[in-house]
Every structure is written in C-alpha cells, then in structure tokens.
Amino acid sequence: MWWWTAALAAEGDPETPAPEPEEPEVIEISAPEEELGSAIEGIDDVHAEVKLGPQLEDWVPLPGNLVRGRFVVRPLLGAEGAQGRFAVTAGAALGHQWWTLGDGPVGAGGEELVRVSAPIGGLKGRRVDAEIVGGPWVGPIGLRVGPTLTWDRLDPGGDLPVLEDAVLVGGLVDLSAMLGPVVLTAGLQPAWVVGGERVGADPEAVPLPVLGDETTWRAGVGLIGDHLELLLGAALRETAIGPIGEGTLGLRVRLL
C-alpha cells in the first residue's frame, strides 16, 4: 500500500480546490529614439583596408624591439696565398643570426658562426675558427664586435717557413653598410697566441700595423636575396711567416 499513499501525497487533497491563476504582468518595451548601428556595419571597409598574407610590403613595424633569428649554412670556396705559393680553399660555415624588429631608427643584430676550411693544392694545413659578434644598427650602418677563437696550421712546403699549429684568442671589429640589396663590410681581427709554439708577426715584415700577435684585415661585399646571400671577401693575415692573402666566395642558405 506504500505506493498508493505516495500517490495521494503527490496529488494533494481532492477536497481542496486549486487556486485560480493570476494574470501575468505586462511590461511594455518602447523603441529607442535613436537607431542603433549594426555589429557588422562597415566590415567591408575594414576588409578593403587590411591586407592578409606574408608579403614583406604588408609588414608593419611593431612597437619595442622584438628579437628574430634564423640558422644559416654557408659553403665556402676561395683561394689562399703565402710565401709565393697558392691554393684553393674549401670548407663550410654553420651559424645563427639574430636581429631586432622595431619602429625606431636604432636596432641591433649579431651572429654566432663556426667555420672549417682547408687548402687544396700548393699549401697544406687546416683552419677552424669561431666568432660571436653583435652590435647596433643605426639606419643602414651596422657595427659588430665580439670574441673570436682560431685553431690553424699552414705549411707552404719545401724549405719555406711553416706557420706552426696554434690556438689564438682575439676579437673582431666589423663595420657594415647596407645599400639596398648590397652590403659592404670592413674590419680587423687582432689575435693572441694562447696555445702552441707559434711566435707573433714581425711588424717590419708586413705591410699593415700589427695588433697583438697576429692581425687580420678584412673587406667584403655581399648581395642579399630572399633566400640566398652571395658573399665575396678578401683578407690579409699578418703572421710569423709574413702576410697571408685570402679570398673567399660564400653562399649563404637561409634555413629559417
């Protein structure tokens, strides 16, 4: 009988009449005096003004200095001459570049780079060097400074003096100018012997001033493209066996 009792409790007392429903209150809503605009009004004008896509000409400088970067791989080909002997040089470079994005006239940029090369032909040896450089850009003019590390040896052959195996620590000062897609560079790299039996350069036997144990004077020109960069460089290294001339052809491939 428990289900019957529960049913009565749910239905209530049949003798008690149900209350009559009350009339609902009517709320009048009047139209606004001024017409409200649409949420999508003017969207066609916005579409006409905003360009979507990765085009470089559509990029707008952002406030502040945001840092961007990319890795680069660069095959190297060149020539080297010392003590009247000449050779072709071949190698590769791997590095990382970084730069800032901003709407001001002053920015910054830099590079971490490792190069490996060796002469083929009239000279024997090998060269490994690394550099970490960076500095400001003011308009089209850039300055890069930073430490360098070199490990090399060069043997002209025969009875000619040998540039003995050594490790050198130094610094690089490099000045660049951007002229549209063309970049011009000039700089110098003094270095000091920290490992090996090599002696410093004789200031009387080289054409340019010597800073430290050895000094390298550099100049170059580059052509900058969307994905490739072609680099031509010349350098004069002042060493214990006299001046060493270098010419390089570099092709830089942008990975990211």
mmCIF file of all heavy atoms in Angstrom, residues 104-133:
data_model
loop_
_atom_site.group_PDB
_atom_site.id
_atom_site.type_symbol
_atom_site.label_atom_id
_atom_site.label_comp_id
_atom_site.label_asym_id
_atom_site.label_seq_id
_atom_site.Cartn_x
_atom_site.Cartn_y
_atom_site.Cartn_z
ATOM 1 N N GLY A 104 61.835 52.113 -34.574
ATOM 2 C CA GLY A 104 62.772 53.211 -34.361
ATOM 3 C C GLY A 104 63.945 53.140 -35.322
ATOM 4 O O GLY A 104 64.146 52.150 -36.031
ATOM 5 N N PRO A 105 64.773 54.178 -35.355
ATOM 6 C CA PRO A 105 65.922 54.185 -36.263
ATOM 7 C C PRO A 105 67.089 53.330 -35.792
ATOM 8 O O PRO A 105 68.008 53.071 -36.558
ATOM 9 C CB PRO A 105 66.318 55.668 -36.302
ATOM 10 C CG PRO A 105 65.890 56.196 -34.963
ATOM 11 C CD PRO A 105 64.633 55.453 -34.604
ATOM 12 N N VAL A 106 67.079 52.886 -34.534
ATOM 13 C CA VAL A 106 68.193 52.117 -33.974
ATOM 14 C C VAL A 106 67.728 50.692 -33.685
ATOM 15 O O VAL A 106 66.687 50.482 -33.065
ATOM 16 C CB VAL A 106 68.724 52.764 -32.676
ATOM 17 C CG1 VAL A 106 69.869 51.946 -32.105
ATOM 18 C CG2 VAL A 106 69.171 54.194 -32.948
ATOM 19 N N GLY A 107 68.501 49.726 -34.178
ATOM 20 C CA GLY A 107 68.226 48.320 -33.925
ATOM 21 C C GLY A 107 69.496 47.615 -33.502
ATOM 22 O O GLY A 107 70.498 48.244 -33.155
ATOM 23 N N ALA A 108 69.472 46.300 -33.536
ATOM 24 C CA ALA A 108 70.643 45.512 -33.159
ATOM 25 C C ALA A 108 70.619 44.206 -33.926
ATOM 26 O O ALA A 108 69.573 43.750 -34.391
ATOM 27 C CB ALA A 108 70.670 45.251 -31.648
ATOM 28 N N GLY A 109 71.793 43.614 -34.061
ATOM 29 C CA GLY A 109 71.899 42.332 -34.747
ATOM 30 C C GLY A 109 73.210 41.661 -34.402
ATOM 31 O O GLY A 109 74.138 42.299 -33.887
ATOM 32 N N GLY A 110 73.293 40.364 -34.683
ATOM 33 C CA GLY A 110 74.519 39.642 -34.378
ATOM 34 C C GLY A 110 74.531 38.268 -35.006
ATOM 35 O O GLY A 110 73.587 37.865 -35.697
ATOM 36 N N GLU A 111 75.616 37.540 -34.759
ATOM 37 C CA GLU A 111 75.796 36.231 -35.377
ATOM 38 C C GLU A 111 76.736 35.390 -34.536
ATOM 39 O O GLU A 111 77.711 35.900 -33.979
ATOM 40 C CB GLU A 111 76.369 36.423 -36.780
ATOM 41 C CG GLU A 111 76.510 35.155 -37.594
ATOM 42 C CD GLU A 111 76.982 35.448 -39.003
ATOM 43 O OE1 GLU A 111 77.956 36.223 -39.155
ATOM 44 O OE2 GLU A 111 76.394 34.910 -39.957
ATOM 45 N N GLU A 112 76.441 34.082 -34.449
ATOM 46 C CA GLU A 112 77.358 33.097 -33.888
ATOM 47 C C GLU A 112 77.712 32.154 -35.027
ATOM 48 O O GLU A 112 76.823 31.586 -35.660
ATOM 49 C CB GLU A 112 76.715 32.323 -32.745
ATOM 50 C CG GLU A 112 76.168 33.196 -31.620
ATOM 51 C CD GLU A 112 74.741 33.619 -31.864
ATOM 52 O OE1 GLU A 112 73.922 32.776 -32.273
ATOM 53 O OE2 GLU A 112 74.447 34.814 -31.677
ATOM 54 N N LEU A 113 79.018 31.994 -35.300
ATOM 55 C CA LEU A 113 79.432 31.301 -36.514
ATOM 56 C C LEU A 113 80.659 30.433 -36.247
ATOM 57 O O LEU A 113 81.569 30.838 -35.515
ATOM 58 C CB LEU A 113 79.761 32.325 -37.603
ATOM 59 C CG LEU A 113 79.914 31.808 -39.032
ATOM 60 C CD1 LEU A 113 78.582 31.304 -39.558
ATOM 61 C CD2 LEU A 113 80.446 32.921 -39.924
ATOM 62 N N VAL A 114 80.669 29.238 -36.858
ATOM 63 C CA VAL A 114 81.816 28.336 -36.831
ATOM 64 C C VAL A 114 82.178 28.008 -38.281
ATOM 65 O O VAL A 114 81.312 27.598 -39.062
ATOM 66 C CB VAL A 114 81.520 27.044 -36.053
ATOM 67 C CG1 VAL A 114 82.713 26.097 -36.134
ATOM 68 C CG2 VAL A 114 81.190 27.358 -34.596
ATOM 69 N N ARG A 115 83.463 28.182 -38.635
ATOM 70 C CA ARG A 115 83.942 27.899 -39.985
ATOM 71 C C ARG A 115 85.037 26.836 -39.943
ATOM 72 O O ARG A 115 85.898 26.866 -39.058
ATOM 73 C CB ARG A 115 84.503 29.165 -40.640
ATOM 74 C CG ARG A 115 83.467 30.181 -41.049
ATOM 75 C CD ARG A 115 84.128 31.367 -41.752
ATOM 76 N NE ARG A 115 84.965 32.098 -40.823
ATOM 77 C CZ ARG A 115 84.598 33.212 -40.203
ATOM 78 N NH1 ARG A 115 83.402 33.723 -40.425
ATOM 79 N NH2 ARG A 115 85.416 33.821 -39.366
ATOM 80 N N VAL A 116 85.015 25.951 -40.929
ATOM 81 C CA VAL A 116 86.043 24.912 -41.092
ATOM 82 C C VAL A 116 86.491 24.955 -42.554
ATOM 83 O O VAL A 116 85.661 24.901 -43.463
ATOM 84 C CB VAL A 116 85.499 23.518 -40.749
ATOM 85 C CG1 VAL A 116 86.583 22.466 -40.959
ATOM 86 C CG2 VAL A 116 84.976 23.474 -39.321
ATOM 87 N N SER A 117 87.820 25.055 -42.783
ATOM 88 C CA SER A 117 88.321 25.127 -44.155
ATOM 89 C C SER A 117 89.726 24.538 -44.216
ATOM 90 O O SER A 117 90.408 24.398 -43.189
ATOM 91 C CB SER A 117 88.325 26.569 -44.665
ATOM 92 O OG SER A 117 89.183 27.378 -43.876
ATOM 93 N N ALA A 118 90.151 24.210 -45.451
ATOM 94 C CA ALA A 118 91.486 23.655 -45.670
ATOM 95 C C ALA A 118 91.939 24.004 -47.081
ATOM 96 O O ALA A 118 91.120 24.077 -48.001
ATOM 97 C CB ALA A 118 91.483 22.142 -45.480
ATOM 98 N N PRO A 119 93.252 24.236 -47.284
ATOM 99 C CA PRO A 119 93.766 24.500 -48.623
ATOM 100 C C PRO A 119 93.921 23.217 -49.429
ATOM 101 O O PRO A 119 94.196 22.149 -48.870
ATOM 102 C CB PRO A 119 95.117 25.168 -48.350
ATOM 103 C CG PRO A 119 95.541 24.617 -47.027
ATOM 104 C CD PRO A 119 94.280 24.383 -46.241
ATOM 105 N N ILE A 120 93.757 23.344 -50.747
ATOM 106 C CA ILE A 120 93.918 22.215 -51.655
ATOM 107 C C ILE A 120 94.858 22.665 -52.779
ATOM 108 O O ILE A 120 94.521 23.556 -53.553
ATOM 109 C CB ILE A 120 92.566 21.765 -52.249
ATOM 110 C CG1 ILE A 120 91.588 21.421 -51.123
ATOM 111 C CG2 ILE A 120 92.754 20.575 -53.174
ATOM 112 C CD1 ILE A 120 90.179 21.152 -51.614
ATOM 113 N N GLY A 121 96.035 22.078 -52.851
ATOM 114 C CA GLY A 121 96.974 22.466 -53.899
ATOM 115 C C GLY A 121 98.339 22.772 -53.351
ATOM 116 O O GLY A 121 98.987 21.923 -52.727
ATOM 117 N N GLY A 122 98.810 24.005 -53.556
ATOM 118 C CA GLY A 122 100.178 24.374 -53.212
ATOM 119 C C GLY A 122 100.449 24.583 -51.744
ATOM 120 O O GLY A 122 101.597 24.810 -51.354
ATOM 121 N N LEU A 123 99.435 24.529 -50.898
ATOM 122 C CA LEU A 123 99.592 24.705 -49.452
ATOM 123 C C LEU A 123 98.938 23.542 -48.723
ATOM 124 O O LEU A 123 97.984 22.934 -49.227
ATOM 125 C CB LEU A 123 98.956 26.023 -48.995
ATOM 126 C CG LEU A 123 99.494 27.318 -49.628
ATOM 127 C CD1 LEU A 123 98.600 28.488 -49.253
ATOM 128 C CD2 LEU A 123 100.925 27.583 -49.195
ATOM 129 N N LYS A 124 99.443 23.252 -47.534
ATOM 130 C CA LYS A 124 98.851 22.230 -46.686
ATOM 131 C C LYS A 124 98.497 22.839 -45.331
ATOM 132 O O LYS A 124 99.212 23.698 -44.824
ATOM 133 C CB LYS A 124 99.817 21.065 -46.486
ATOM 134 C CG LYS A 124 100.175 20.318 -47.765
ATOM 135 C CD LYS A 124 101.130 19.180 -47.464
ATOM 136 C CE LYS A 124 101.505 18.433 -48.728
ATOM 137 N NZ LYS A 124 102.449 17.304 -48.456
ATOM 138 N N GLY A 125 97.424 22.345 -44.755
ATOM 139 C CA GLY A 125 97.040 22.840 -43.441
ATOM 140 C C GLY A 125 95.556 22.702 -43.213
ATOM 141 O O GLY A 125 94.839 22.020 -43.941
ATOM 142 N N ARG A 126 95.057 23.396 -42.179
ATOM 143 C CA ARG A 126 93.629 23.437 -41.872
ATOM 144 C C ARG A 126 93.380 24.622 -40.963
ATOM 145 O O ARG A 126 94.282 25.157 -40.311
ATOM 146 C CB ARG A 126 93.111 22.140 -41.248
ATOM 147 C CG ARG A 126 93.500 21.851 -39.822
ATOM 148 C CD ARG A 126 94.877 21.359 -39.681
ATOM 149 N NE ARG A 126 95.324 20.911 -38.410
ATOM 150 C CZ ARG A 126 95.797 21.697 -37.465
ATOM 151 N NH1 ARG A 126 95.704 22.987 -37.566
ATOM 152 N NH2 ARG A 126 96.336 21.173 -36.394
ATOM 153 N N ARG A 127 92.120 25.032 -40.930
ATOM 154 C CA ARG A 127 91.753 26.198 -40.127
ATOM 155 C C ARG A 127 90.336 26.003 -39.597
ATOM 156 O O ARG A 127 89.422 25.680 -40.355
ATOM 157 C CB ARG A 127 91.835 27.476 -40.956
ATOM 158 C CG ARG A 127 91.502 28.748 -40.175
ATOM 159 C CD ARG A 127 91.636 29.968 -41.079
ATOM 160 N NE ARG A 127 91.296 31.201 -40.413
ATOM 161 C CZ ARG A 127 92.137 31.960 -39.737
ATOM 162 N NH1 ARG A 127 93.411 31.576 -39.648
ATOM 163 N NH2 ARG A 127 91.748 33.068 -39.156
ATOM 164 N N VAL A 128 90.188 26.205 -38.286
ATOM 165 C CA VAL A 128 88.881 26.193 -37.634
ATOM 166 C C VAL A 128 88.776 27.471 -36.815
ATOM 167 O O VAL A 128 89.653 27.749 -35.986
ATOM 168 C CB VAL A 128 88.706 24.964 -36.716
ATOM 169 C CG1 VAL A 128 87.340 25.003 -36.038
ATOM 170 C CG2 VAL A 128 88.888 23.675 -37.497
ATOM 171 N N ASP A 129 87.759 28.243 -37.065
ATOM 172 C CA ASP A 129 87.590 29.454 -36.247
ATOM 173 C C ASP A 129 86.120 29.676 -35.928
ATOM 174 O O ASP A 129 85.235 29.223 -36.655
ATOM 175 C CB ASP A 129 88.208 30.683 -36.921
ATOM 176 C CG ASP A 129 87.641 30.961 -38.283
ATOM 177 O OD1 ASP A 129 87.005 30.056 -38.862
ATOM 178 O OD2 ASP A 129 87.817 32.066 -38.775
ATOM 179 N N ALA A 130 85.893 30.355 -34.822
ATOM 180 C CA ALA A 130 84.552 30.640 -34.329
ATOM 181 C C ALA A 130 84.493 32.076 -33.854
ATOM 182 O O ALA A 130 85.499 32.650 -33.419
ATOM 183 C CB ALA A 130 84.188 29.682 -33.191
ATOM 184 N N GLU A 131 83.307 32.657 -33.968
ATOM 185 C CA GLU A 131 83.124 34.040 -33.513
ATOM 186 C C GLU A 131 81.706 34.237 -33.004
ATOM 187 O O GLU A 131 80.769 33.578 -33.459
ATOM 188 C CB GLU A 131 83.410 35.016 -34.646
ATOM 189 C CG GLU A 131 82.515 34.844 -35.854
ATOM 190 C CD GLU A 131 82.982 35.663 -37.044
ATOM 191 O OE1 GLU A 131 84.179 35.630 -37.368
ATOM 192 O OE2 GLU A 131 82.123 36.326 -37.660
ATOM 193 N N ILE A 132 81.585 35.115 -32.031
ATOM 194 C CA ILE A 132 80.288 35.538 -31.501
ATOM 195 C C ILE A 132 80.296 37.065 -31.516
ATOM 196 O O ILE A 132 81.005 37.682 -30.722
ATOM 197 C CB ILE A 132 80.047 35.020 -30.074
ATOM 198 C CG1 ILE A 132 80.130 33.499 -30.028
ATOM 199 C CG2 ILE A 132 78.695 35.488 -29.560
ATOM 200 C CD1 ILE A 132 80.025 32.929 -28.630
ATOM 201 N N VAL A 133 79.551 37.644 -32.431
ATOM 202 C CA VAL A 133 79.609 39.093 -32.614
ATOM 203 C C VAL A 133 78.196 39.676 -32.604
ATOM 204 O O VAL A 133 77.217 38.993 -32.916
ATOM 205 C CB VAL A 133 80.319 39.457 -33.939
ATOM 206 C CG1 VAL A 133 81.780 39.054 -33.884
ATOM 207 C CG2 VAL A 133 79.641 38.791 -35.131
#
